[in-house]
Amino acid sequence: MLTAVGLVPSAPLLVPELSGAGNPDVDAVRAATVEVGRVLATQADRWTVLSLVESRSSKGTFRGFGADVEVSLRPGDLSNADSEMPLHFLIAAWLRTLTAPAIEARPYVLGTATELFTALDESADREALLVVADGSTMLTPKAPGAFHPDAPAFEEKLDTAIEIGDWATVLELDGWDEFGAGESQRLFQVLAGVLAEMRPSETRGTHAAPFGVGYLMRTWVA
């Protein structure tokens, strides 16, 4: 049964070895992300990580981002760390390693929301879905995607829709590519479709944009 869903950002700054400590904005995003992992750890026996691409390995390293921090999608993983593991898998593996070391996180390449929901909800195990995705990357002049004056309005619509469960707005929202969120569009849309079918009884979380990128940290429980 699908018992929980989590949403976290794909931000390397979450890893203390990469960003250090003492920055209140970063610390707040990290704490909210870790809380997502803790909720999924208590609510599920296995995680599924929504992905745009296949994973060629179960273990990765943040070496390419500045620190050789090894993380894995599986407990007791003795394989070699892949320095080219996609970032969303690295973040999922880091979160699993930190908050749910005894739980496996398996990749799921994008299909339809109905297919994914059915596969998880018909499982005999308690299943959690983890989505690693960002909002707009163009929210301030210092943002990595450069500033777009209409990006904050787009982000506000996305944040509000996610918070109140307005899945129709998420599915119909325009401007993903224009506001630097094109890579996350399908992830958010499948997330919305799954949650529309799940009809969770509880949700909690927050959002932030400390570096001009929309970060959403939220959980939904059946």
Side-chain angles (χ1 to χ4, degrees), residues 7 16 27 29 42 76-77 140-141 151 154 156 176 183 189 191:
L7 172 63
D27 292 346
V29 171
T42 61
D77 192 349
T140 68
F154 166 89
E156 183 177 3
W176 296 89
E183 291 187 4
Q189 289 175 337
L191 170 68

Side-chain angles (χ1 to χ4, degrees), residues 136 138-140 147-157 159 179:
S136 173
M138 308 175 77
L139 298 176
T140 68
F147 176 63
H148 193 298
D150 295 327
F154 166 89
E155 188 65 28
E156 183 177 3
K157 289 180 182 178
D159 292 348
F179 304 126

